[in-house]
Amino acid sequence: MISRRAGLWVLIGFTLAVAAAAVLAPRIPQSQSYHDFADHRALLGIPNFGDVASNLVFAVSGGWGLVFLFAQRGHERFIDPRERWAYLFVFLGLFLTAFGSCYYHLAPDNARLVWDRLPMTLAFMGLVSAMISERMSVSAGFYLLPLLLFMGAGSVILWWSSEARGAGDLRFYAAMQVYAVLILPVLLLLPPRYTRGSDFGMVFGFYVLAKIFETADRRIFSLDEHTISGHTLKHLAAGAAGIWVLRMLEKRHPMLGKPRTARLKPGTYIL
């Protein structure tokens, strides 16, 4: 573990490094071959059925998470009620990704890809805000949440506007993805407010696994004799990450010393 002061400087340094890399890197166009996924099979009249249907896991994890957060037990899982807002966007982003990704995979192209990427940034940036709140400062995480959401969504809009000008540039969207993922292990070095902090490591692992599946889309589809594609497995792994976040919230507890219990309702915690 490192101190919160040291963590702050690491966070600032990492943020500046990613921003500098995004500015200095050459333009990254969106390859049209990206839309040509391995599994084109249709089923029940639905084209690209595997990549479309596998988005159900996002709807389940996102919807289940939202139900949990709006229920009384969801309110009681947070020391500070402001912490709940970040997770609302995590699960809202997952839920909306189910619909955006379905829409995209029915007929993949750049115009539809916007609606796949936009909700994903809500989930990514919400998770970054949650980690900042829990590892550094609740106020910092809460007040940075709108800025992080704006930057995430803005990176997608910036990419799409560059495509409309005929000079597609993925640099800033790629930078936001790299930032959202790599900042998680950095923040895990800070002391936690809750138990089960290692669950964030599992979430990071699921994301890495999803990227491996995505990269090996055609190879996996060939190796398993066209049973399931790597991109379909990517959806399942990414959705499993959302389910793991929900599992963590349901099972964790505040890491307090000796709590003051007078006048406290069951499940309510104070520092």
Side-chain angles (χ1 to χ4, degrees):
M1 291 292 175
I2 61 176
S3 69
R4 286 189 172 87
R5 180 181 292 273
L8 174 62
W9 286 111
V10 171
L11 179 63
I12 292 173
F14 183 76
T15 302
L16 292 175
V18 173
V23 171
L24 297 175
R27 181 174 68 86
I28 305 174
Q30 175 68 67
S31 171
Q32 291 308 298
S33 64
Y34 175 85
H35 307 302
D36 184 21
F37 300 102
D39 189 357
H40 297 285
R41 294 174 300 178
L43 183 65
L44 303 176
I46 301 174
N48 310 314
F49 180 82
D51 291 343
V52 172
S54 56
N55 285 290
L56 178 63
V57 70
F58 291 119
V60 171
S61 61
W64 188 7
L66 289 171
V67 169
F68 169 78
L69 289 177
F70 281 106
Q72 180 62 34
R73 63 194 180 104
H75 288 262
E76 294 171 350
R77 304 315 294 171
F78 299 96
I79 298 170
D80 188 315
R82 293 177 297 175
E83 295 176 88
R84 181 169 155 269
W85 281 98
Y87 286 104
L88 282 171
F89 281 99
V90 170
F91 292 119
L92 177 63
L94 288 171
F95 186 71
L96 294 178
T97 294
F99 298 95
S101 186
C102 275
Y103 176 67
Y104 166 63
H105 281 288
L106 285 169
D109 61 15
N110 280 351
R112 288 177 175 240
L113 185 55
V114 174
W115 302 107
D116 184 12
R117 287 177 169 166
L118 268 176
M120 283 195 293
T121 63
L122 298 183
F124 285 140
M125 296 300 107
L127 193 59
V128 172
S129 171
M131 287 288 289
I132 293 174
S133 292
E134 295 175 14
R135 299 281 172 155
M136 296 186 67
S137 163
V138 174
S139 294
F142 179 72
Y143 289 117
L144 282 173
L145 177 59
L147 176 61
L148 289 168
L149 294 172
F150 175 79
M151 292 172 61
S155 70
V156 178
I157 294 170
L158 192 62
W159 160 68
W160 174 239
S161 65
S162 71
E163 291 288 349
R165 296 194 306 270
D169 191 351
L170 275 171
R171 281 180 300 165
F172 295 102
Y173 174 72
M176 293 305 298
Q177 271 213 326
V178 169
Y179 182 80
V181 173
L182 295 186
I183 200 64
L184 295 184
V186 172
L187 292 173
L188 282 174
L189 298 174
L190 296 169
R193 284 161 59 84
Y194 297 94
T195 60
R196 304 193 66 86
S198 61
D199 284 342
F200 281 111
M202 288 294 298
V203 172
F204 177 75
F206 275 123
Y207 180 81
V208 172
L209 187 62
K211 297 306 289 185
I212 293 172
F213 286 147
E214 180 181 35
T215 303
D217 182 28
R218 293 187 180 280
R219 185 170 180 80
I220 292 172
F221 194 54
S222 298
L223 286 176
D224 70 358
E225 299 181 350
H226 295 184
T227 301
I228 192 169
S229 72
H231 202 85
T232 296
L233 289 174
K234 171 205 171 181
H235 290 168
L236 299 179
I243 293 173
W244 204 273
V245 171
L246 176 59
R247 178 178 180 272
M248 175 197 69
L249 292 178
E250 290 178 327
K251 292 179 174 293
R252 74 182 189 178
H253 300 284
M255 294 185 69
L256 303 177
K258 187 176 180 180
R260 292 175 289 164
T261 56
R263 299 183 181 178
L264 287 183
K265 296 178 180 179
T268 304
Y269 307 93
I270 61 175
L271 286 173

